Structure formats: C-alpha cells, structure tokens
Amino acid sequence: MLQVNPNINPPRKLLFNAYLLMFIVHTAQTGVGIAGLPRVVFLQSENDAWISVLITGAVVTMVLFIMDKTLKQFESADLYSIHEYLYGKWGGKLANSVISIYLLSGYFIIMKDYTEMVQEWIFPTLPTWIFTLMLSFLAFYAVSGGIRVVVGICLLSLILSIWITFIIAVPLQYMDYSHLLPIWNHSFKQILMGTFKTSLSIVGYEMLMFVYPFVQNKEKVFRYSMIGNLYSTLLFALVTFVSIGFFSATGLKRTIWPVLSMFKIVRIPNLERFEFIAVSFWMLIILPNICLYLWSASRGIKNVFGITGRKSLYIALLIAWLGTLFLKERIFNNLASDYVGYAGFALFFVYPFLLYTMVKLKTIWKKKRSA
C-alpha cells in the first residue's frame, strides 16, 4: 500500500463499521432531487424513463467499484490526500479547491431547493434568509459533532423517514399501465440522455471518497456501498415508474415535483392536506445530505488553507448562507443546479476512472524509479 502525505489515521474512537456505508450512500443520493426526478427523466426518454434510471444505477455501481479500487491503493487516504500524492502540494491544493467548491455548491443547492419546496407548499411568505439560517444552525450543530454524529444522522434519517416510501402504494392503485407501453420505443441516444439527466440527481455516492479513512473494516467497503446504491436505484426507478403511470404525458411534463403532487391524493381522517406532512418530513431526508456535503466541504477548506476544522466550518456556512441572499430568482437557482449537476457528472462519473489510471501509472513509475 502507498503512503501519502498527509496520511490520514483517525483515532479509533472516530471509526465506524463498514455496513453503515449502506446508509451513507443511500441518504447522500436521496434528497430533494428524487421529488422532481420523474419529470426530468421523462422529458428525455418519456415512457422509457425508468429504464434510464436503472442504467444509471448500473453505471454508478461501476464507478463505486473503481473508487474502491483507487482507495485500496492507499493505507488510509481520502480524495484530498490522493490529490496531493498525485499533483504535489500546490497542484493538489488547486484540485482540492475545485472539489471543495463543488461540495459547497452542492450543500448550497440542496438547502436552497428545500427552502423553495417549503415556500411553495407550506409557507409562501417565509423569508428565505430565515429558513436557510435555521438550516445552517442545524447543519452546524450536527457537523461540529464529528463524522460519527453525521453517520448517526444518516442512519436515523432512514429509519424515521422510510414510511414515506410506502405511501407510493396509494398512487400505485390509480396507475394507467398503458402509459408505459410500448417498452423501449425510444432511440438509444434518448435513453442515454435520460441516463445523463438521472446522473445529476443520483450523485452523493462520492462521499465514499471522503469518509473512507474513517471506515473500520475496509475490505467490505464496496459490498455495502453497492447495497446502498442498489436501494437508491430501485427507489428512484419505482417513483419514476409510478409517476409515468399516474400522470398523463402532458401533466408529468408540467409538474415540477411529481412525487409530492402524487401525495395529494392521500387522505387521512381529520387531515385534508397530507403533503404538508410529507414536505415537513422531507427535512429528515435532506438533513444527511446537507451534513455530508458540509462536512466534506469544510475538510477541503481546511486542507487548502491549512486552518482548523472549526474555522473552515464557519467559512463554509457563511459563504453558503450569504449565497442564498443573492441568488433569489428561480431561474438563477435552476441554472446553478444545472451547472453543479454537470460538474458532479464530470467529477464523479468520469474523473474516478482517470484518477485510478493516474494512480496506477504513478505507482508503476515510482517502483521503477526506486528499483
């Protein structure tokens, strides 16, 4: 195994078991994006959208495999320290700056999208800055507790919000299955465009490259990461499948959050608007997202500027919160989401294969040089 500088050897009390990666990967992938995913994919591959989602899940499994192979080359390293090994001190800091900006942007977009969801469905007059400030305090409280607290939130979030998954059984009864036929009547290019659009919503699995040094039994990393991704893929495919059958083609194209819109038909005695509960509970779904992105981004800032973890956390929180004050219009928010999505595709769908190749080449070169 390779020794990198700085080598990360966290104290034993900060380590966690590899099986928890199932919850980390799944909760990192499932956030605000799943509420609007069926429409986004349907615009590209229409009734074959669910096939695009399944293909994306298979591609993510391959990416997780190559990430695991790369990380196993080192004794205890995350993406930041691998960059320093490959590119040297200043080249590494430049690469880590790019990754940190992406992660901080991801944190910002999730927070902004959820704020928009709350304003749209529950509190239309709620000022953005107040709600994002509350989310920032919540994220700060969790992340300042360290990685084990963040992992605990991932586990708790899944347990407390899993009941929402079963609500999909209600719209399932009203599906028109003819909307799904004929199967695979779109070109391969259209299916792949749907795959590309899904990839923008299913990112989050890249957290593996940041939490890896804190995993106790590293030989099981790929197995549990794959299980987490499999569950996310099946869930994403299910909501897409049901949405296609539930809405008309025109209706689905016009509905921004089809998953939440389907909840409108759920009726509970003494409760007229079930979607109010769904949007409120969505906080539990996005909380691990914002915590993982904030934790990873603050570690990147700490690496680049050589400051303490607490200071880097303050900087990350302040930048993201100030961003919500200036990016108010929906059109700018959508543009920012698209650009962050494209960056995520380049950095964590394409780059891991390049990274693995470079690590292998540098290892061979160092062995030949020392021989």
Side-chain angles (χ1 to χ4, degrees), residues 177-193:
Y177 290 90
S178 65
H179 292 176
L180 296 152
L181 300 174
I183 295 174
W184 204 298
N185 63 328
H186 292 83
S187 67
F188 195 58
K189 182 183 176 183
Q190 288 174 302
I191 300 285
L192 284 184
M193 280 305 295

Side-chain angles (χ1 to χ4, degrees), residues 122-169:
I122 305 180
F123 302 116
T125 57
L126 177 69
T128 301
W129 71 271
I130 291 180
F131 193 70
T132 52
L133 188 63
M134 288 165 57
L135 285 177
S136 300
F137 275 117
L138 196 60
F140 169 76
Y141 182 72
V143 174
S144 60
I147 183 61
R148 286 177 67 91
V149 174
V150 174
V151 174
I153 288 173
C154 293
L155 176 61
L156 201 62
S157 162
L158 183 64
I159 293 171
L160 294 180
S161 62
I162 199 166
W163 64 272
I164 294 180
T165 308
F166 297 103
I167 298 298
I168 205 73

Side-chain angles (χ1 to χ4, degrees), residues 35 66 180 206:
I66 209 70
L180 296 152
E206 67 269 18

Side-chain angles (χ1 to χ4, degrees), residues 200-251:
L200 308 185
S201 297
I202 208 169
V203 288
Y205 58 87
E206 67 269 18
M207 293 303 147
L208 174 64
M209 302 207 77
F210 304 100
V211 303
Y212 184 82
F214 299 89
V215 180
Q216 210 164 27
N217 36 353
K218 293 183 170 55
E219 71 280 2
K220 297 177 182 175
V221 163
F222 175 64
R223 181 195 308 171
Y224 290 118
S225 305
M226 188 185 62
I227 293 172
N229 175 58
L230 178 64
Y231 179 56
S232 302
T233 304
L234 293 178
L235 183 62
F236 280 45
L238 176 65
V239 296
T240 305
F241 185 84
V242 175
S243 299
I244 295 169
F246 183 82
F247 293 98
S248 65
T250 309

